[in-house]
Amino acid sequence: MPPGRYEYPTTDIAVSPFAGDVRSFFPKPQGLVESEWPPTQVEYLGIYLKEIGCKTILVEGHYMDRDYVYDVALFYSRSLRSYPNYCQRLHFFSQEFDQQTWRSMVVESASREKAGKFLRDCYLGFSVVKPLPGSPLGRTVLPTLGPEAKSGAKRFFGAVRPYQVHVAGFELEVVGLVFQQQDQGVSACATTALWSAMHNVTKAEGLTVLTPAEITEAASRYALPTGRALPSEGLTIQQICEATRAAGLQPVLIPSVSLDHDRAQLLAYLSSGFAPVLALQPLSGSGVGHAVCAVGLKISQIRPQSNPELHFKDRATSVTGIYIHDDRLGPYATAELVSWTAENGKIRTAVFIRWPDADVPAEQSLLQAIIVPIPSKLRMSLTRIRALAHGLAQAAAVLFPEFTGHIVFNCRYQLAHDYLANAAKFGLSEDGSYELQCKTVLSRFVGLIEITNEDEPLFDVLLDATETLANPSALAVVSRNGLPAKYHPELTNIARQFAARLIL
Amino acid sequence: MDDRKAEAVPQVEHDSVKSSEERVKQALENARQAVKPIVKQEMEGELVSNELLSVRLRSPK
């Protein structure tokens, strides 16, 4: 726009059929493009949209994106080139409709409600297209893959949330976790992974979600081992922790120990609704570390106990893979978790990342650490909860002999009100149900140990998650449907040993 | 009514409760000992080194 002219931009909403890829929405920029075009993320988006059954794309010509506006304010506004401060937004639908039908849905007041329902029912999510030549794929929220993988394994996405979307006065919704391509101007892979990871928990905690630019700034405030903050030279794990604290959350930093340990951490945090950032070291290439955000789990059979002295099983052994947001690839990329013998002979956890339609892994990396942004008052570590759970499961196998060999334990965190909301299904007596819901004081998040007979719940132990030691912090021992009444005396004594309230 | 008999019943119940409590206590303690190596391994693995904190994550896009 020439100086002195201050018109508002014009816009329209255009309908386009989805023909199998989205390359046409990301035109190749003029001049020398240093990397491949279209970017891998754009190709991945096309493949993923095909997988989830996209038929129609609605293009919003002028869209103000909060995350991008911050990027512009912090970085791009001071460039020689005039970067626009607005984006385009693509909306994806699983039904076919054309421009004329869209117009009718918008203008015909008599059928507006019906049109809204039609759009809501077939809405698949959105992608923001940033006017940046090198990294056009902005904030993207798409639904997860279905509940069952082709192999028969179960998929579980614990760190997703609903996003409300408004277009032409229609309110639509997509359940997923936000993703975007890394933009080296303001964010490297670690920034983007942390941004995705914090999106669910900050919303649940009533905190403001930091934009990628704000994360980079917060990470660089007190420590700059990489020389300069912007353009982003990547983050260290320490800086990821710093940025997490700046967002009002606390970082739990867990070094990768073994496949069993890592699986247990991933299962517990993801099933508690917290998305972990994974620090990876590629097995080949430059040796530069990479960060991704874990969103979901691939679950198969629980493995039998390998130690003949122990008579219980660990639910975490059922985790065979994870679904990750990899900013070099796309959302919900599949990754296998496997044991790997490193050069020094140590057994490590390896992560094999795959494309949705490929059998060969796109990249193989070693897991170095798991960083989980969690609410500040969640103080009890998962490892401490598991320490208690291991012993409890072993004791249960001895005390409840008919279940020996079938006792399974699982640990996670849960909001107390979510736990209580399900109490009616626990098979408690009226007194027990009242005692649990009205007379038991619970912390906002409880540390939850679930002891089951394979998949049938036997009893739960609720721990005060605001405490630092698991053992003296048991709030209640709660009987569940699968525990026969003949074992109530044993459960009573378990509660007594834990100094916890007994709920039968 | 035989007074000695009347007193004996609660005593048996008391002993049974006591022995059940002891049995659970013992089972929990035995279990704690049995899982100690796993717990120790998981706890020790959580120690964070300076080297880990300094790992830089910056993969090219």
Side-chain angles (χ1 to χ4, degrees):
Chain A
M1 189 193 301
R5 297 184 62 186
Y6 305 105
E7 292 108 351
Y8 284 103
T10 55
T11 188
D12 195 3
I13 296 176
V15 179
S16 180
F18 174 65
D21 72 61
V22 288
R23 278 180 277 192
S24 58
F25 298 100
F26 299 86
K28 187 176 178 179
Q30 289 177 327
L32 181 67
V33 178
E34 288 178 32
S35 48
E36 284 175 29
W37 197 269
T40 311
Q41 296 87 341
V42 170
E43 292 210 61
Y44 181 100
L45 177 64
I47 293 169
Y48 193 85
L49 288 172
K50 209 168 5 173
E51 187 108 351
I52 59 173
C54 180
K55 296 274 171 32
T56 306
I57 299 179
L58 202 67
V59 185
E60 223 178 330
H62 187 281
Y63 176 69
M64 297 300 293
D65 182 67
R66 175 176 172 260
D67 294 282
Y68 175 65
V69 165
Y70 270 81
D71 293 353
V72 172
L74 192 69
F75 189 75
Y76 291 105
S77 62
R78 286 187 259 180
S79 298
L80 174 62
R81 185 187 273 159
S82 302
Y83 288 96
N85 68 347
Y86 63 91
C87 305
Q88 281 190 328
R89 187 162 59 159
L90 311 179
H91 298 273
F92 310 113
F93 296 87
S94 63
Q95 293 288 339
E96 286 176 7
F97 59 91
D98 57 16
Q99 191 74 43
Q100 188 54 44
T101 315
W102 166 249
R103 188 183 162 79
S104 306
M105 286 194 279
V106 172
V107 299
E108 288 175 12
S109 56
S111 56
R112 176 93 186 173
E113 204 171 306
K114 198 176 153 199
K117 185 180 181 320
F118 168 78
L119 291 170
R120 275 193 298 280
D121 288 350
C122 66
Y123 191 60
L124 292 175
F126 66 89
S127 268
V128 170
V129 183
K130 297 189 285 190
L132 299 175
S135 46
L137 188 63
R139 198 162 59 95
T140 296
V141 182
L142 294 172
T144 61
L145 297 160
E148 201 167 296
K150 282 175 195 154
S151 62
K154 299 275 180 282
R155 292 184 180 126
F156 172 74
F157 293 91
V160 294
R161 71 168 175 89
Y163 289 79
Q164 269 69 43
V165 181
H166 299 96
V167 56
F170 292 108
E171 182 171 289
L172 310 172
E173 185 180 280
V174 54
V175 176
L177 188 68
V178 72
F179 166 84
Q180 77 168 350
Q181 178 185 9
Q182 73 169 266
D183 161 21
Q184 280 178 319
V186 296
S187 60
C189 58
T191 318
T192 313
L194 183 59
W195 172 73
S196 291
M198 293 200 294
H199 241 255
N200 190 26
V201 61
T202 42
K203 176 85 175 170
E205 291 299 296
L207 300 166
T208 306
V209 184
L210 297 188
T211 66
E214 288 174 317
I215 290 173
T216 305
E217 266 200 320
S220 316
R221 193 160 294 147
Y222 303 114
L224 256 180
T226 53
R228 62 187 300 172
L230 301 170
S232 177
E233 295 290 323
L235 302 181
T236 63
I237 290 180
Q238 189 166 10
Q239 286 180 301
I240 292 179
C241 294
E242 196 55 53
T244 306
R245 282 188 283 268
L249 299 165
Q250 289 299 318
V252 176
L253 172 55
I254 310 144
S256 169
V257 176
S258 64
L259 184 56
D260 283 345
H261 172 267
D262 298 337
R263 282 196 286 217
Q265 302 287 335
L266 289 168
L267 173 65
Y269 284 108
L270 278 167
S271 58
S272 307
F274 305 125
V277 173
L278 310 185
L280 304 175
Q281 182 66 49
L283 283 165
S284 58
S286 62
V288 178
H290 180 45
V292 298
C293 172
V295 192
L297 298 160
K298 191 187 270 186
I299 310 247
S300 294
Q301 295 293 315
I302 300 168
R303 279 210 327 255
Q305 179 57 258
S306 55
N307 183 342
E309 303 291 311
L310 304 180
H311 312 296
F312 62 87
K313 294 185 273 189
D314 182 351
R315 189 164 294 282
T317 59
S318 64
V319 175
T320 56
I322 45 174
Y323 293 93
I324 55 169
H325 279 7
D326 184 342
D327 69 342
R328 299 169 311 170
L329 203 57
Y332 315 114
T334 309
E336 278 173 62
L337 296 173
V338 294
S339 269
W340 186 270
T341 308
E343 282 171 7
N344 59 7
K346 276 193 172 177
I347 307 292
R348 302 278 306 274
T349 301
V351 180
F352 292 179
I353 302 169
R354 286 177 195 275
W355 274 69
D357 59 348
D359 292 330
V360 183
E363 190 177 83
Q364 302 180 338
S365 305
L366 288 180
L367 179 63
Q368 289 185 300
I370 301 168
I371 308 124
V372 199
I374 58 164
S376 301
K377 281 182 78 178
L378 213 163
R379 298 178 185 134
M380 183 176 287
S381 80
L382 182 78
T383 305
R384 291 203 179 276
I385 298 176
R386 278 178 61 81
L388 195 59
H390 274 111
L392 199 57
Q394 172 75 353
V398 172
L399 295 168
F400 310 140
E402 71 184 80
F403 304 128
T404 301
H406 301 281
I407 294 278
V408 180
F409 82 87
N410 185 45
C411 301
R412 62 192 168 106
Y413 302 99
Q414 191 172 26
L415 278 166
H417 68 78
D418 284 346
Y419 184 81
L420 295 180
N422 289 315
K425 300 174 200 156
F426 290 176
L428 296 170
S429 66
E430 282 186 12
D431 285 348
S433 186
Y434 190 82
E435 178 101 2
L436 176 62
Q437 295 179 78
C438 300
K439 292 186 168 180
T440 309
V441 177
L442 299 176
S443 47
R444 182 162 178 266
F445 278 96
V446 289
L448 177 59
I449 299 173
E450 295 166 304
I451 305 289
T452 59
N453 167 29
E454 301 297 349
D455 287 329
E456 190 179 30
L458 295 177
F459 69 94
D460 297 335
V461 177
L462 308 186
L463 304 169
D464 174 3
T466 64
E467 276 296 338
T468 51
L469 290 169
N471 206 25
S473 317
L475 296 166
V477 174
V478 183
S479 175
R480 300 286 302 268
N481 307 56
L483 189 73
K486 65 178 177 182
Y487 289 134
H488 282 178
E490 282 78 5
L491 197 66
T492 306
N493 284 317
I494 288 174
R496 193 168 292 158
Q497 291 300 318
F498 279 75
R501 189 179 284 257
L502 175 71
I503 311 288
L504 293 173
Chain B
M1 193 177 174
D2 186 337
D3 282 345
R4 281 175 302 173
K5 220 175 187 177
E7 279 170 10
V9 176
Q11 186 59 45
V12 170
E13 270 179 11
H14 178 73
D15 289 349
S16 149
V17 168
K18 187 116 180 143
S19 76
S20 169
E21 194 174 337
E22 276 304 314
R23 199 165 63 85
V24 169
K25 193 175 173 181
Q26 195 59 51
L28 285 168
E29 180 52 28
N30 292 345
R32 201 173 67 84
Q33 294 300 332
V35 301
K36 221 171 183 174
I38 312 175
V39 170
K40 191 169 174 240
Q41 192 193 11
E42 291 200 2
M43 291 279 192
E44 282 176 353
E46 292 218 332
L47 299 172
V48 175
S49 65
N50 277 334
E51 196 188 346
L52 183 68
L53 287 171
S54 307
V55 167
R56 186 151 71 115
L57 305 170
R58 176 196 178 255
S59 70
K61 58 183 182 167

